[in-house]
Amino acid sequence: MRVAPDVFLFRDTCNVYVLVSGRQAILVDFGDGAVLDRLADYGVDEVTDVLVTHHHRDQVQGLARARAAGIRVWVPPVERDLIAGVDEHWRTRSLDNDYDVRQDRFSLLRQVPVTGTAAEYRTATYGHAEVYTLPLPGHTPGSVGYLVEVGGRRLAFVGDLIHGEGRVWSLAATQWAYTGFHENQGKEGVAATVLSCMQLLDHRPDLLLPSHGEPVTDPPAAVARLRSRLQELLDMNRRTPWDPERMLTHPWAEVTPHLLRNTTSMANSYALLSDHGTALLLDFGYDLTTGLPGGQDRASRRPLLASIAALRRDHGIDRVEVALPTHYHDDHVAGFNLLREVHSTEVWAPAHITPVLTLPERWDLPCLWYDPIPVDRALPLDAPVRWREYEIGVHDLPGHTLYAAAYSFTADGRRVIATGDQQTTEWEEGLAPEVLNYQYRNRFRVDDFTRSAELYRRLRPELMISGHWAPLAVTDAYLDMLLAKGEQLARLHRELLPADVDFGAEGFGARIAPYRSAVAPGGKARFEVEVRNPFARRERAEVRMALPEGWHADPPLARVDLAPHGEAVVEFVLRVPAGTPPAERLRVAADLTVGRLRFGQQAEALVNVR
């Protein structure tokens, strides 16, 4: 079936689109691969590239055949692991007591290597075609669409975002999380489908080419019909109708004229606007979120950049120059690499957060992003940094996590402090209690919230902006309450934990870095073990490494003298026998003795032999 000049539809397990130029072609989706047996029908000798819209088996089940033929394969960025790494996905996917209802198991049975990922929000050349890749979450969280100009018409290859004249191929696929009591829970993909369709129409396609069903010749009419039905489905569980237009056209709410809050992101991000027409972002995680899918794999956590267009359109911002993280957690930094790739945004980070962003595998911490986030400028603590007309104070803010910072600045005459997730900001005197947001695995220390309250009192902010709550006008009563609660929290920890053995709130006497590493058979791996003296007296610590059979540590035993409650780092080199077979996540541990008391294997690390 010819759908446009030199563009054909081949029906297989899904619609496979053949874009022809001379004796060569590129394909959108691949199905079972039968199209390779029919190339002569299109006057084609060679397929150079396959562009995949999403990971489902009906789109890609024959993909190994494409690779065997030497065809380049390009896949959606967040779904690469569901194609090229799907063996590991099948090995680790939870099956017992499973509440993850995504259709991520509708994936390849065996993984197939890919050439690369399709760069989102950009135009790139694949084979003979110039192709713009547009994120289209809905049918899957990671779906993309491809826009191509052919014969003066704009064709949109949309995967399973839409089916025919105003339907979807599967509603079950749009359920990304187990249904709960949040208004959108269980309908995350439904809401995402609406937003994706609206953004697709902004690109003014003349023809929609879906993975199943017939080409859509009147895109606005088809989207209007689909939207009305999906809106009704969404509103069944809502107190008030859902407003997708607001999310797309007005994502930023004014805090002050030069300070905006993104109301569509999962964790708040803020834009500080310069009169030079540029912006600095405080955090940027999951933009335009309709709810996170179940699971924690890469395919369940997708960054988007939808709100950046509104900064340009409504606020005269030519460029997002800088992004600053309040802390390293994924919901605050997930979009940083995409900002860099698409908008050339620089990442500035406090010096103590920088190593966590740039070397995530080194750290035993929750909520780490999957990839290293390069940092262009490491900022010293307690020294202001200049950006455009603003002087921004950079302050250590341990509590929610040891690797967090507060930023102080003046915007439109108001003294502002950005505190990330340190505490909620929904306090009303005599009514709502403030929650001190500590998580032990984030590395919380007993006096952290006392110190942060003292920091706030020194800085005297008028306005506090935070990670998940509305901005708060700061009063003396609020600052007094934070100090009192910080002191109460510290007192309770001291009264509840052992008085004679003090490993702090975390409760461990050692940590190993790197936490995750890889070593070749016959190779060496270097580790640092940070140890703590839990006693109020000077003591000697002894550390031995617990290793897989046949491995050796140099030295076999490390000794270090520690001041009262002091800390130190000892180093080991592990030697892996030459005949060690490949293995994943082999465990090593640090066995700690301080003084006369043996605490045992206090810390572990994971080693891949490859």
Side-chain angles (χ1 to χ4, degrees):
M1 177 180 176
R2 185 190 299 270
V3 297
D6 296 322
V7 180
F8 301 88
L9 186 162
F10 178 84
R11 298 193 188 277
D12 196 357
T13 54
C14 70
N15 291 341
V16 176
Y17 294 96
V18 185
L19 285 71
V20 176
S21 177
R23 306 297 296 183
Q24 293 184 329
I26 69 170
L27 307 178
V28 177
D29 290 321
F30 195 67
D32 194 47
V35 66
L36 297 186
D37 300 322
R38 302 293 299 272
L39 294 181
D41 295 354
Y42 312 109
V44 168
D45 298 324
E46 178 189 17
V47 172
T48 61
D49 298 81
V50 174
L51 299 173
V52 175
T53 60
H54 60 288
H55 74 275
H56 281 171
R57 234 175 1 250
D58 52 350
Q59 312 296 123
V60 294
Q61 68 184 53
L63 209 54
R65 185 176 177 187
R67 292 298 292 165
I71 299 170
R72 295 182 291 263
V73 175
W74 308 91
V75 299
V78 303
E79 293 190 348
R80 179 174 187 152
D81 290 348
L82 292 176
I83 295 172
V86 78
D87 291 357
E88 179 71 3
H89 180 75
W90 281 114
R91 190 183 71 80
T92 59
R93 175 60 157 87
S94 176
L95 300 176
D96 298 315
N97 197 23
D98 177 22
Y99 281 78
D100 186 351
V101 296
R102 288 178 300 152
Q103 290 190 350
D104 56 323
R105 290 180 297 169
F106 191 28
S107 299
L108 284 172
L109 303 183
R110 285 167 292 279
Q111 66 192 32
V112 175
V114 302
T115 307
T117 59
E120 297 176 309
Y121 297 106
R122 283 155 285 175
T123 298
T125 302
Y126 302 98
H128 66 274
E130 296 289 312
V131 181
Y132 181 84
T133 302
L134 178 67
L136 293 179
H139 184 72
T140 71
S143 293
V144 300
Y146 300 108
L147 296 168
V148 181
E149 302 284 341
V150 176
R153 303 178 74 202
R154 184 167 297 166
L155 310 186
F157 302 89
V158 297
D160 281 323
L161 179 72
I162 192 170
H163 175 71
E165 304 297 327
R167 298 177 183 267
V168 293
W169 180 242
S170 169
L171 279 172
T174 65
Q175 191 169 60
W176 295 353
Y178 202 88
T179 303
F181 301 102
H182 185 272
E183 288 179 322
N184 272 355
Q185 199 166 358
K187 295 186 174 68
E188 302 84 1
V190 172
T193 297
V194 172
L195 293 169
S196 291
C197 284
M198 294 170 67
Q199 292 173 89
L200 177 63
L201 290 186
D202 288 341
H203 290 266
R204 302 185 181 278
D206 296 295
L207 187 66
L208 305 185
L209 298 171
S211 288
H212 295 88
E214 301 303 316
V216 177
T217 57
D218 189 345
V223 167
R225 282 191 288 272
L226 179 61
R227 275 195 60 188
S228 67
R229 295 159 182 165
L230 293 180
Q231 183 83 39
E232 184 178 355
L233 182 62
L234 281 165
D235 289 345
M236 286 179 64
N237 292 350
R238 299 181 63 91
R239 293 183 179 88
T240 58
W242 182 57
D243 186 359
E245 275 84 5
R246 182 199 63 80
M247 293 185 71
L248 285 175
T249 60
H250 297 94
W252 298 94
E254 182 179 297
V255 180
T256 74
H258 287 80
L259 180 62
L260 311 177
R261 173 191 174 204
N262 185 347
T263 63
T264 73
S265 55
M266 180 197 163
N268 291 331
S269 56
Y270 293 87
L272 185 60
L273 308 185
S274 168
D275 289 332
H276 295 84
T278 58
L280 175 149
L281 295 180
L282 292 165
D283 292 333
F284 198 79
Y286 301 116
D287 190 31
L288 199 69
T289 184
T290 58
L292 291 182
Q296 288 81 42
D297 57 318
R298 184 186 295 270
S300 68
R301 298 291 182 267
R302 184 182 199 175
L304 297 167
L305 298 179
S307 65
I308 304 302
L311 286 178
R312 291 176 168 173
R313 182 186 65 242
D314 301 332
H315 301 281
I317 296 303
D318 295 326
R319 182 177 168 224
V320 176
E321 286 190 321
V322 174
L324 284 177
T326 58
H327 56 295
Y328 70 88
H329 285 172
D330 64 303
D331 56 332
H332 294 258
V333 302
F336 276 26
N337 282 343
L338 196 57
L339 281 169
R340 176 195 303 280
E341 294 163 8
V342 178
H343 297 295
S344 301
T345 303
E346 290 191 357
V347 174
W348 297 358
H352 68 307
I353 301 176
T354 293
V356 185
L357 297 178
T358 58
L359 296 169
E361 291 193 351
R362 182 175 177 82
W363 302 86
D364 177 15
L365 292 167
C367 313
L368 290 163
W369 187 238
Y370 306 98
D371 305 309
I373 298 174
V375 172
D376 299 280
R377 184 175 177 183
L379 308 177
L381 292 171
D382 300 318
V385 60
R386 193 81 187 177
W387 174 75
R388 295 296 184 175
E389 62 265 40
Y390 297 96
E391 185 173 271
I392 302 172
V394 183
H395 312 279
D396 193 18
L397 194 70
H400 178 61
T401 170
L402 186 61
Y403 309 100
Y407 300 104
S408 58
F409 54 91
T410 298
D412 302 299
R414 301 192 72 182
R415 296 189 306 277
V416 182
I417 188 165
T419 61
D421 291 349
Q422 184 75 351
Q423 66 276 315
T424 59
T425 54
E426 298 177 310
W427 182 74
E428 292 183 53
E429 189 170 3
L431 295 176
E434 190 74 347
V435 176
L436 305 184
N437 188 14
Y438 62 94
Q439 314 291 328
Y440 293 104
R441 273 202 64 205
N442 285 338
R443 304 206 64 184
F444 158 66
R445 299 172 304 183
V446 168
D447 292 307
D448 282 346
F449 285 93
T450 302
R451 291 173 181 143
S452 64
E454 292 169 344
L455 171 69
Y456 304 154
R457 289 163 73 94
R458 290 196 303 273
L459 295 175
R460 306 298 300 179
E462 299 172 88
L463 187 67
M464 181 177 287
I465 57 176
S466 60
H468 295 272
W469 307 276
L472 177 75
V474 178
T475 64
D476 287 340
Y478 179 70
L479 296 180
D480 292 343
M481 178 274 300
L482 286 183
L483 181 58
K485 291 202 76 164
E487 292 173 339
Q488 179 188 24
L489 185 64
R491 174 181 59 80
L492 287 170
H493 275 78
R494 289 194 168 93
E495 291 175 353
L496 287 166
L497 292 172
D500 56 340
V501 179
D502 180 11
F503 278 138
E506 295 176 68
F508 288 99
R511 300 179 74 87
I512 301 179
Y515 186 73
R516 291 175 288 170
S517 61
V519 62
K524 300 177 183 178
R526 185 177 299 276
F527 290 87
E528 296 177 353
V529 181
E530 179 186 297
V531 295
R532 174 183 171 92
N533 179 6
F535 302 116
R537 60 183 183 271
R538 191 172 189 85
E539 287 286 5
R540 171 166 289 189
E542 295 185 347
V543 184
R544 296 179 186 271
M545 296 299 291
L547 304 173
E549 186 175 355
W551 292 28
H552 300 280
D554 183 18
L557 172 67
R559 295 184 176 93
V560 62
D561 291 323
L562 298 173
H565 300 304
E567 296 181 352
V569 173
V570 295
E571 293 188 359
F572 293 89
V573 175
L574 305 190
R575 302 175 187 276
V576 180
T580 303
E584 298 289 310
R585 297 190 180 185
L586 295 177
R587 279 75 64 195
V588 302
D591 196 302
L592 175 66
T593 299
V594 183
R596 296 182 178 181
L597 192 56
R598 183 179 178 188
F599 294 99
Q601 296 175 5
Q602 282 283 294
E604 88 286 344
L606 307 177
V607 182
N608 297 329
V609 178
R610 296 173 178 168

